[in-house]
């Protein structure tokens, strides 16, 4: 999208693509990050799906805000180099690119679970007949708590109102046949799909477009939690006609622990002023916001869902990170990740120690692999940790690793395989 916008010919475009991917392979982006050390050496950091690393520019951008606050006080809202009043707007274009949305469809605000609730306040509008919410059986716990409490808020029993899309017995990933079966039996009763675009546990990347089409064909609103997809895979939420989505920025998007989330609301809905939204002053018409006495005049688009003025310090960190995404391009990052992930997948294909539970088809996964430990249990995880790997252990028997191509090179993948093979 970025490349086409800048008017590159297809030939030049592919050359630029190559150049960016080479930059990743050569570790030039990696130099822009602080790499945590273990025993005095750079760690093998494979945990970008949990907390992305700190871009070196973050300190400068955050310090800039601190300095403006120190020297300008309240005037920083309008006088700062990057004025605070519109600060979130400096991020919209880059964030919209990450998920393939129009700028009017995306805004950075709040954090993820809060945003899921705000979006459900608008888009989960159950009736007596159509009130169920579909979620994956191994969805992230926060999402499960959120949907159950929404059902309860509307007077329904979560036990009955929440439908779980389960993998087939003995399998780890869900399949479309399973979803079709649910639709065939309960399609008329389902109000909402709320699904993880990339599953946090298995790393499975769902077919967002096919699921959206299927839901819409049955009158169902379709929303996605993109916590593990944003910054990991290139999406086209607008073209795929997704109704809404929310994600956080501290995983693949490297914006710092607990940093702000973002939302997508399709223009079909965001520009429709009859859609109910929970309101606050930051969603009010910018030109009259400080009049303070006007009746609520909501902004069209995703910005109309804002409630509060956002914290500027984490936005500054996010600006540093998104600049790198703009430079590298999310499509290129996805390509680079694919190579590393394929290398890792192949390395464990015949392993007696490990079974990869992430889908084999490259189209069904992003930068994460989930490794089921067949032999050695947690001792294998302890072994890799002692040898400088930072990864993630999920009870009872899964190691999750992610390659984030902005800072993970092929060498990380190779070293990881060697360390695993040196166990026991
Ligand atoms: C990381 C993650 C969360 C975390 O929610 P916060 O509100 O940011 O604490 C929620 N859902 C999913 C799917 C996640 O991966």
């Amino acid at each position: 999208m970025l490349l086409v916008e800048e008017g590159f010919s297809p030939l030049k475009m592919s050359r630029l693509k190559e150049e960016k991917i080479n930059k990743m392979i050569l570790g030039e982006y990696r130099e822009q990050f602080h790499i945590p050390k273990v025993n005095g050496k750079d760690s093998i950091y494979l945990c970008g799906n949990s907390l992305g690393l700190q871009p070196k520019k973050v300190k400068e951008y955050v310090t800039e805000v601190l300095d403006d606050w120190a020297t300008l006080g309240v005037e920083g809202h309008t006088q700062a180099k990057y004025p605070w009043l519109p600060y979130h707007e400096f991020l919209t274009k880059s964030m919209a690119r990450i998920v393939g949305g129009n700028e009017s469809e995306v805004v950075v605000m709040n954090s993820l679970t809060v945003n899921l609730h705000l979006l459900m306040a608008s888009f989960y509008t159950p009736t007596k007949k159509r009130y169920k919410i579909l979620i994956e059986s191994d969805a992230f716990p926060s999402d499960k708590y959120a949907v159950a409490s929404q059902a309860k808020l509307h007077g329904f029993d979560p036990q009955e109102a929440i439908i779980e899309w389960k993998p087939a017995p003995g399998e780890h990933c869900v399949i479309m046949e399973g979803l079709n079966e649910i639709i065939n039996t309960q399609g008329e009763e389902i109000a909402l799909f709320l699904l993880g675009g990339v599953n946090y546990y298995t790393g499975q990347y769902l077919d967002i477009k096919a699921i959206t089409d299927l839901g819409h064909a049955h009158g169902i609103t379709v929303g996605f939690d993109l916590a593990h997809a944003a910054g990991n895979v290139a999406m086209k939420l607008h073209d795929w006609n997704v109704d809404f989505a929310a994600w956080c920025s501290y995983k693949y998007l490297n914006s710092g622990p607990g940093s702000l989330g973002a939302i997508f609301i399709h223009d079909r809905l965001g520009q429709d002023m009859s859609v109910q939204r929970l309101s606050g002053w930051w969603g009010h018409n910018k030109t009259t916001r400080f009049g303070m006495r006007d009746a609520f005049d909501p902004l069209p688009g995703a910005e109309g869902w804002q409630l509060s003025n956002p914290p500027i310090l984490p936005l500054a960190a996010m600006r540093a990170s998104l600049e790198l995404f703009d430079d590298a391009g999310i499509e290129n990052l996805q390509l680079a990740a694919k190579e590393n992930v394929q290398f890792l997948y192949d390395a464990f294909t015949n392993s007696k120690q490990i079974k990869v539970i992430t889908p084999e088809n490259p189209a069904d996964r992003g930068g994460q692999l989930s490794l089921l430990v067949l032999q050695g249990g947690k001792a294998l995880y302890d072994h890799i940790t002692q040898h400088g790997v930072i990864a993630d252990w999920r009870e009872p028997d899964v190691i999750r690793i992610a390659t984030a191509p902005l800072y993970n090179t092929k060498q990380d993948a190779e070293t990881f395989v060697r360390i695993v093979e040196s166990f026991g």
Side-chain angles (χ1 to χ4, degrees):
M1 199 159 87
L2 164 67
L3 304 180
V4 173
E5 256 170 38
E6 289 177 3
F8 282 92
S9 70
L11 184 68
K12 271 195 189 154
M13 207 162 95
S14 61
R15 214 175 285 149
L16 186 63
K17 207 174 190 59
E18 211 175 288
E19 189 190 301
K20 299 292 182 187
I21 291 176
N22 275 338
K23 258 178 96 170
M24 288 169 212
I25 292 170
L26 296 172
E28 284 179 36
Y29 289 107
R30 179 182 168 89
E31 285 167 17
Q32 315 271 335
F33 286 85
H34 293 289
I35 310 292
K37 305 256 185 217
V38 174
N39 302 328
K41 278 187 7 199
D42 277 0
S43 61
I44 314 298
Y45 194 83
L46 301 176
C47 219
N49 57 331
S50 184
L51 184 74
L53 293 182
Q54 183 186 142
K56 289 180 179 166
K57 271 263 170 78
V58 164
K59 195 170 261 175
E60 178 188 329
Y61 289 5
V62 169
T63 303
E64 188 180 278
V65 175
L66 291 172
D67 289 347
D68 286 336
W69 178 24
T71 56
L72 298 167
V74 71
E75 304 297 346
H77 282 300
T78 53
Q79 306 295 316
K81 185 167 161 222
Y82 285 85
W84 306 331
L85 267 182
Y87 203 104
H88 70 276
E89 296 172 25
F90 305 134
L91 305 167
T92 304
K93 192 171 185 169
S94 311
M95 199 54 113
R97 258 185 210 130
I98 299 274
V99 296
N102 294 336
E103 284 179 55
S104 53
E105 294 172 321
V106 171
V107 69
V108 173
M109 63 178 205
N110 308 322
S111 40
L112 173 54
T113 310
V114 170
N115 285 335
L116 289 176
H117 278 297
L118 290 178
L119 290 165
M120 282 192 274
S122 293
F123 302 117
Y124 174 56
T125 50
T127 62
K128 270 208 167 84
K129 280 192 66 181
R130 197 186 268 282
Y131 59 93
K132 294 186 176 175
I133 305 176
L134 177 108
I135 191 165
E136 326 93 283
S137 56
D138 60 358
F140 195 86
S142 196
D143 300 45
K144 286 188 148 183
Y145 306 151
V147 295
S149 63
Q150 282 284 334
K152 236 169 129 177
L153 181 69
H154 288 277
F156 299 100
D157 173 6
Q159 292 284 2
E160 205 244 333
I162 306 301
I163 307 176
E164 293 194 348
W165 178 14
K166 296 187 178 82
E171 296 293 323
H172 296 275
C173 295
V174 291
I175 50 172
M176 284 302 276
E177 284 81 353
L179 184 57
N180 277 310
E181 225 173 274
I182 294 172
I183 291 283
N184 289 338
T185 52
Q186 304 179 72
E188 310 257 290
E189 295 162 13
I190 300 176
L192 174 70
F193 288 172
L194 189 78
L195 297 167
V198 172
N199 183 273
Y200 87 101
Y201 183 66
T202 62
Q204 179 180 17
Y205 178 24
L206 294 178
D207 188 339
I208 293 177
K209 182 179 186 305
I211 290 170
T212 304
D213 288 345
L214 180 67
H216 287 174
H218 290 83
I220 297 163
T221 302
V222 183
F224 284 91
D225 181 328
L226 302 177
H228 285 265
N232 175 15
V233 290
M235 294 170 282
K236 293 193 164 65
L237 296 188
H238 177 86
D239 292 349
W240 295 344
N241 214 14
V242 168
D243 292 310
F244 69 87
W247 57 98
C248 52
S249 68
Y250 47 80
K251 292 171 181 167
Y252 293 92
L253 290 175
N254 309 323
S255 302
S259 188
L260 286 97
I263 62 164
F264 165 91
I265 297 172
H266 200 284
D267 270 338
R268 272 186 293 109
L269 302 163
Q271 304 291 333
D272 176 352
M273 301 319 262
S274 72
V275 172
Q276 286 286 329
R277 53 201 84 186
L278 294 181
S279 305
W281 74 317
W282 226 248
H284 182 96
N285 184 338
K286 289 172 201 176
T287 57
T288 57
R289 186 186 279 153
F290 289 89
M292 301 295 199
R293 280 185 179 78
D294 299 299
F296 185 60
D297 175 14
L299 289 166
E303 282 200 320
W305 268 259
Q306 296 171 104
L307 300 180
S308 302
N309 76 104
I312 304 301
L313 293 167
L315 289 182
M318 190 183 292
R319 189 159 67 82
S321 174
L322 292 184
E323 278 182 3
L324 293 171
F325 278 89
D326 280 340
D327 189 76
I330 185 68
E331 287 89 359
N332 302 332
L333 286 162
Q334 187 180 13
L335 276 177
K338 262 192 197 326
E339 264 189 50
N340 274 348
V341 170
Q342 191 64 49
F343 168 81
L344 288 162
Y345 196 98
D346 294 344
F348 296 119
T349 303
N350 296 315
S351 168
K352 287 195 180 67
Q353 264 164 0
I354 277 170
K355 177 180 151 56
V356 181
I357 60 170
T358 307
E360 187 175 2
N361 179 1
D364 298 336
R365 62 186 191 219
Q368 178 184 325
L369 280 185
S370 299
L371 314 174
L372 183 72
V373 181
L374 302 172
Q375 281 178 15
K378 184 137 189 280
L380 172 59
Y381 177 74
D382 294 338
H383 170 82
I384 62 172
T385 304
Q386 278 153 19
H387 287 79
V389 175
I390 299 180
D392 171 277
W393 173 256
R394 289 281 130 167
E395 291 293 345
D397 51 12
V398 168
I399 296 171
R400 297 186 306 165
I401 55 171
T403 61
L406 277 177
Y407 50 79
N408 289 127
T409 59
K410 179 89 181 279
Q411 206 184 349
D412 285 336
E414 288 169 350
T415 311
F416 176 75
V417 171
R418 226 177 308 121
I419 293 170
V420 170
E421 285 172 348
S422 72
F423 175 68

